[in-house]
């Protein structure tokens, strides 16, 4: 075979291959409006990536704009250990900050990290969401099993996969040879107990 069709899932758009991506913009804007609407102005971002990384900038673009417009401060907390245990330890460190410096809302790169942060904050005696609100990303089932269900930006994985398979079939069965296609799949904010 001279050409093997490929559809990349949730990867940056590429001129040479089809992609299907989660579009978090509207969901992130809704989550940010919800958090800012509750009066929170010290916001933290929990991520294993550098704050200047393109991935971070794109994911949190709506948060940056809304926070700036509302006079909120954003602090980045980079995870050294990108695991739930690492997030728990970071939650303990955040909880140890003086109350006036500690974020009162945290946006986590994914639900697994949000769950670790949740346990770290609670272990340190902080109340979620009274002291610190938490928002994750992915919408995993486990997030609903916490004592206080996690607010999250749900990525419609089934829809993303369905679209990717359809695109792949079109490339194979119809010998589709047109330019690379890029299809966004809209994510949604689910407000639950942690905000």
């Amino acid at each position: 075979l001279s050409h093997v069709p490929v559809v990349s899932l949730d990867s940056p758009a590429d001129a040479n291959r089809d992609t299907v991506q989660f579009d978090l913009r509207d969901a992130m804007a809704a989550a940010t409006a919800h958090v800012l609407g509750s009066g929170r102005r010290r916001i933290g971002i929990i991520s294993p990536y550098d704050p200047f990384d393109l991935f971070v900038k794109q994911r949190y673009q709506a948060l940056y704009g809304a926070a700036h417009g509302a006079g909120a401060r954003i602090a980045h907390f980079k995870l050294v250990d990108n695991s739930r245990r690492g997030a728990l330890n970071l939650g303990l460190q955040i909880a140890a900050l003086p109350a006036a410096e500690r974020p009162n809302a945290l946006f986590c790169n994914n639900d697994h990290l949000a769950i670790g942060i949740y346990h770290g904050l609670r272990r340190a005696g902080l109340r979620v969401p009274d002291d610190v609100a938490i928002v994750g990303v992915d919408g995993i089932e486990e997030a609903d099993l916490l004592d206080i269900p996690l607010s999250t930006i749900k990525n419609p994985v089934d829809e993303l996969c369905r679209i990717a398979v359809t695109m792949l079939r079109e490339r194979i069965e119809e010998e589709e040879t047109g330019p690379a296609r890029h299809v966004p799949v809209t994510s949604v904010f689910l407000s639950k107990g942690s905000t």
Side-chain angles (χ1 to χ4, degrees):
L1 293 172
S2 61
H3 174 71
V4 177
V6 173
V7 176
S8 296
L9 303 178
D10 205 29
S11 300
D14 182 321
N16 300 315
R17 63 181 177 188
D18 293 334
T19 58
V20 184
Q21 303 164 297
F22 293 123
D23 182 351
L24 279 68
R25 288 177 297 188
D26 291 346
M28 187 62 71
T32 302
H34 179 73
V35 166
L36 292 172
S38 66
R40 299 170 192 275
R41 295 294 183 270
R42 295 185 316 274
I43 297 172
I45 294 175
I46 308 295
S47 175
Y49 305 106
D50 183 82
F52 302 107
D53 186 278
L54 182 60
F55 174 80
V56 173
K57 285 182 172 184
Q58 287 176 341
R59 175 168 279 202
Y60 297 105
Q61 184 176 16
L63 170 62
Y64 294 137
H68 178 73
R73 292 179 302 168
I74 296 180
H76 288 267
F77 296 90
K78 185 175 179 182
L79 276 165
V80 177
D81 175 6
N82 186 16
S83 69
R84 195 176 292 180
R85 166 85 48 205
L88 181 144
N89 290 332
L90 183 55
L92 291 169
Q93 292 171 18
I94 290 170
L97 293 171
E101 296 175 22
R102 183 175 54 236
N104 53 19
L106 295 170
F107 283 76
C108 301
N109 198 60
N110 60 53
D111 286 347
H112 290 287
L113 298 180
I115 290 169
I117 289 287
Y118 169 90
H119 287 300
L121 296 175
R122 300 266 318 251
R123 187 175 290 179
L126 293 181
R127 298 166 300 152
V128 174
D130 299 336
D131 297 319
V132 182
I134 304 172
V135 177
V137 174
D138 289 330
I140 64 172
E141 182 180 353
E142 185 180 356
D144 285 336
L145 304 178
L146 297 171
D147 292 343
I148 300 167
L150 181 67
S151 293
T152 188
I153 294 173
K154 182 167 178 53
N155 290 325
V157 175
D158 292 344
E159 183 179 355
L160 177 118
C161 293
R162 182 188 57 72
I163 292 169
V165 168
T166 299
M167 290 171 72
L168 191 57
R169 283 183 135 162
E170 289 170 359
R171 291 283 187 201
I172 294 169
E173 294 172 2
E174 299 171 18
E175 297 182 9
E176 172 67 48
T177 59
R181 298 167 293 174
H182 310 292
V183 178
V185 179
T186 303
S187 300
V188 295
F189 173 59
L190 303 175
S191 174
K192 298 183 183 177
S194 69
T195 55

